[in-house]
Amino acid sequence: MMRSVLAGAVGAVLLAGFVGGAFAQDPLAVVDARRAALKQAGGAMKTLADHLKEGKGTAADVEKSVAVLRDVAGKIDGWWPKGTAVGVGNSEALPAIWEKPDEFKQKAEAFKTAVASLPADASDKAAFGKQLGAVGASCKGCHTAFRED
Ligand code: HEC
């Protein structure tokens, strides 16, 4: 009886660690991974803006960049375990992320909503440009409050 209770408890802890994913990881690795992904998002935004303004790149480049943004939007909620603020590696994540979790969540949601509305291709330049602007504003909205200058 005691044994099975204990085994259950150990199993639950292991499961929590597994389900927690990033939370079980080394903080430095979390910071590096999210920064690398956000840098990719920055590159994607530039590719899309250059395509719209200067006609650079192909439809495949646009598709790839939109996919990068969708990927980041799908992962962003899991990137902020406690203990990864400024001071850990190259982190520029302000403590406000953990002090004002509701506000931070709201910024993340605004970003996800904007990305979800981004057309998959830029054939309608006006529509694409408008939505790309909304995505850019959502990036900025979060950075202003939660990323170190
Ligand atoms: C919900 C908040 C939030 C949203 C939305 C967000 N970011 Fe960030 N971003 C951050 C935070 C916080 C950091 C600092 C992370 C760190 O240093 O660990 C950051 C860092 C970055 C970096 C620096 C990475 C590096 O290695 O120098 C870039 C580039 C970036 N974001 C681009 C973007 C782009 C582009 C978007 C929108 C497409 C975006 N971010 C959306 C919060 C956000």
Side-chain angles (χ1 to χ4, degrees):
M1 174 60 186
M2 196 53 208
R3 237 181 126 120
S4 68
V5 168
L6 199 63
V10 170
V13 169
L14 288 177
L15 185 66
F18 179 71
V19 172
F23 295 87
Q25 281 176 30
D26 163 28
L28 273 178
V30 172
V31 170
D32 285 350
R34 77 183 174 215
R35 286 176 58 82
L38 286 163
K39 208 170 204 169
Q40 265 202 310
M45 289 299 284
K46 181 161 172 20
T47 298
L48 294 172
D50 287 352
H51 181 76
L52 275 187
K53 284 185 213 146
E54 301 164 32
K56 280 190 191 167
T58 63
D61 295 325
V62 169
E63 204 177 309
K64 216 184 285 174
S65 298
V66 170
V68 166
L69 294 176
R70 293 204 197 291
D71 185 56
V72 166
K75 290 178 179 161
I76 198 162
D77 284 340
W79 280 341
W80 317 99
K82 280 190 179 144
T84 61
V86 172
V88 176
N90 293 325
S91 179
E92 297 170 325
L94 292 178
I97 292 172
W98 298 274
E99 290 160 8
K100 301 175 188 167
D102 293 348
E103 202 181 307
F104 184 70
K105 175 91 189 144
Q106 192 203 320
K107 301 291 186 193
E109 288 303 318
F111 166 64
K112 290 194 280 183
T113 302
V115 170
S117 306
L118 198 60
D121 69 82
S123 52
D124 182 340
K125 286 201 168 199
F128 194 89
K130 184 163 178 256
Q131 203 52 39
L132 189 64
V135 173
S138 75
C139 310
K140 209 169 176 189
C142 189
H143 291 163
T144 305
F146 296 107
R147 180 186 171 191
E148 194 179 56
D149 279 339

